[in-house]
Amino acid sequence: MRNLFNFRNPEKSIATKLIIAIGLLISIVSLIFWYAILQKQKMDVMSIAVKYGGSFVNFTKESIHHSLLTSQRDETQRVLETLATPEGVRRVRIYDHKGKILFCSHKKSVGQIIDKATVACKGCHVDPGKSSELLQNPQRWSVYRENSGPTLLKIVGPIPNEPDCYTASCHVHSREQGILGFVEADVSLALLDEAVFKQGLALTAYVIVFVFAVSAFLGIIIYKIVSRPVSELVDGMAQVAGGNLDASVSIKSGDEMGVLAQTFNSMIRDLKAARDQREKWTQTLEAEVAKKTEEIQRTHANLMQTEKLASLGRMAAGVAHEINNPLTGVVTFAHLLKKRFPSDSTEAEDLNVIIEQAERCSKIIKNLLTFARATPSEKGKVSINDVLSRTIFMVQNQEKFHHIKFNINLEDYQFIILGDPSQFQQIFLNMFINAADAMNGRGNIFVSTRKTTESGKPYVEIEFTDEGCGIKEEDMPKLFEPFFTTKPVGKGTGLGLSVSHGIVKHLGGHIKVKSVVGKGTTFFVRLPLAEEAR
Amino acid sequence: MKKVLVIDDEAIVRTSCERALTPEGYEVKAVSSGKEGVELLQKESFALVLLDLKMPDMDGIEVLNKINETWPDTKVVMITGYSTVETAVQALRLGAYNFIEKPFTPDTLLAAVTEVFEKTNQGGAEDRDIKRDSGNP
Ligand SMILES: Nc1ncnc2c1ncn2[C@@H]1O[C@H](COP(=O)(O)OP(=O)(O)OP(=O)(O)O)[C@@H](O)[C@H]1O
Ligand SMILES: [Mg+2]
């Protein structure tokens, strides 16, 4: 009930207004009913009292019939005195048509004239002064009250003339007389008063209880179906306004409140969904921005790296070029010296070693220059098997490949392709370095070549298989992207495969990958064979 | 006399050429820059110039162009490093007779030089050289 009455502005709440209005209505209606019932009861009681009063008057007439006929005045008086009691019949008297009291239970008032303004005369006569004019509906009783006493019923009964009266020997009454006199009784209604009063009290109590019960009942009903749902809704709205979109209103009723609550809940749900969507967008956007930023940073770092590598390559090329000059001297003079000795002499053999080693130096420099990509492309007929063998030979001498076994299976065929040998060397070198990196420098590399045809044209397929870590499914699409690398900065630039892909595509071929994470990777490089070579 | 001029900024290359060719009957003169080479060419004539592609003062290609313009009978063989193959190819297009890669053995050098004299200097060129030779001292 707290909410019902303490709710914001209590004097303005619907519940309060409703309760006041309905309470007022009920009170007024109850009051009207209360009054009507009370009146009706009074009338009922009164009509019973009148009925009994009438019987009493008749009984009195019967009782005194004989004594009147026999003119025993004392006897009549005595009967009347006996009939009167303080609680019941207060007074009973007989008076004639002129108002003179003939007998009375209060003996002292005998002979007095009655008050003509009372029902004694007014019961039948319009004007007690002119006895002839009669009321159309005579009411021969009235209720009155003597100061602070109980309610009294005054009832009058006429004593009609009858043969015994006007034929009696006393000749008091003539035959023409219609009414000889009246019996008037004053009956105390104290008991009835009390009963009515008690009933009134009870009724009042009932009405009050009823009003309260109905009001309380209404209050509860209103609280249940209006106030509480409304305050819940308001609470919910306040929560939503405060930003809590997890709020919901738990009104299950099937009425308008329930519908309102459901609509409200679905509105919150929509709001929440919208907000979640927005938050998700924001998050994805942030993540996207972060990713892009990282990519840019990485690309930048890689560019720097490439730049560094490129300048390193240029430097290496320059150094290599310079070394070629002294090497020329070494080779020339060794040869010159060798000519002075017989070819089977130890000196000649020693000089041969010098020459061989100098030539090895020159080879290393050539490979270094190839790797530094300082060699511009020149197109020519290239034998794939030759370039492969040369590259493998070159790679085997490097420390990185000391613990790697090469399993070579080249098809005995002259795979001639028009291109730059250094570019092929570059592709193969990158394959071997990637394989060695994936195997951490230990394991088997399988290299094979075979002839295939693709849409009717002859191709060479070069297969590189390693037993390395494999490539994750999610990395597959990015493999040939420039700068995609999983290797630490400084180790991989992520250019190897992208450059290879570029070269192979340019020549009309393609590269395919098969990989099982943890088992190994196979790259298939397919290149179309040159026209003349077919 | 088969006269060969070596233009190379590297002394060891010059010496190597001299030592490889002289015993085979060639008269070898060597200078260390393109400028000197051109100066010397103005004084005496050579059947063959061994020209280094990369030199500090005057680029090999420039010297080649100058020789082609001024002494069209003088053949030029370029000496290149591995990294300058494309330049060498360009040199061939510009009129060089051949090129050899550094480091070269005396035999490769000799083969290249011999080829020049055998294929082109069988007739008048040599004679003309001799005439000019004799006319100039
Ligand atoms: N044989 C392989 N096994 C496992 N992963 C490989 C293999 N080959 C390539 N990858 C993956 O593909 C990535 C890209 O290779 P790519 O050759 O293009 O660049 P890189 O080797 O990282 O750098 P770079 O070749 O420029 O030095 C590698 O970082 C590696 O994660
Ligand atoms: Mg790589």
Side-chain angles (χ1 to χ4, degrees), chain A residues 33-70:
Chain A
F33 271 92
W34 173 79
Y35 183 76
I37 289 170
L38 227 54
Q39 288 308 307
K40 173 86 169 79
Q41 261 186 347
K42 265 189 183 165
M43 269 161 66
D44 286 354
V45 164
M46 204 51 70
S47 71
I48 291 167
V50 168
K51 208 169 138 198
Y52 281 101
S55 310
F56 177 75
V57 168
N58 285 339
F59 171 71
T60 310
K61 280 195 274 183
E62 295 298 318
S63 307
I64 58 172
H65 189 247
H66 180 71
S67 58
L68 280 177
L69 269 183
T70 52

Side-chain angles (χ1 to χ4, degrees), chain A residues 298 309 371 373 430-439 464-466 468-472 475 478-488 490-500 513 515 520-523:
Chain A
R298 195 175 167 144
L309 272 187
F371 199 55
R373 293 163 197 162
N430 180 55
M431 289 294 175
F432 295 139
I433 292 171
N434 282 353
D437 283 340
M439 298 194 295
F464 303 87
T465 299
D466 65 57
C469 57
I471 299 162
K472 279 187 254 160
D475 288 342
K478 296 179 267 176
L479 220 54
F480 296 100
E481 276 177 22
F483 301 118
F484 171 74
T485 181
T486 56
K487 295 171 190 175
K491 236 193 139 193
T493 57
L495 281 172
L497 283 177
S498 97
V499 167
S500 302
V513 202
S515 185
T521 308
T522 303
F523 280 89

Side-chain angles (χ1 to χ4, degrees), chain A residues 118-126 135 137-141 156:
Chain A
T118 66
V119 73
C121 300
K122 276 182 158 175
C124 295
H125 296 278
V126 180
L135 284 168
N137 301 310
Q139 196 208 11
R140 299 199 184 95
W141 58 271
V156 180

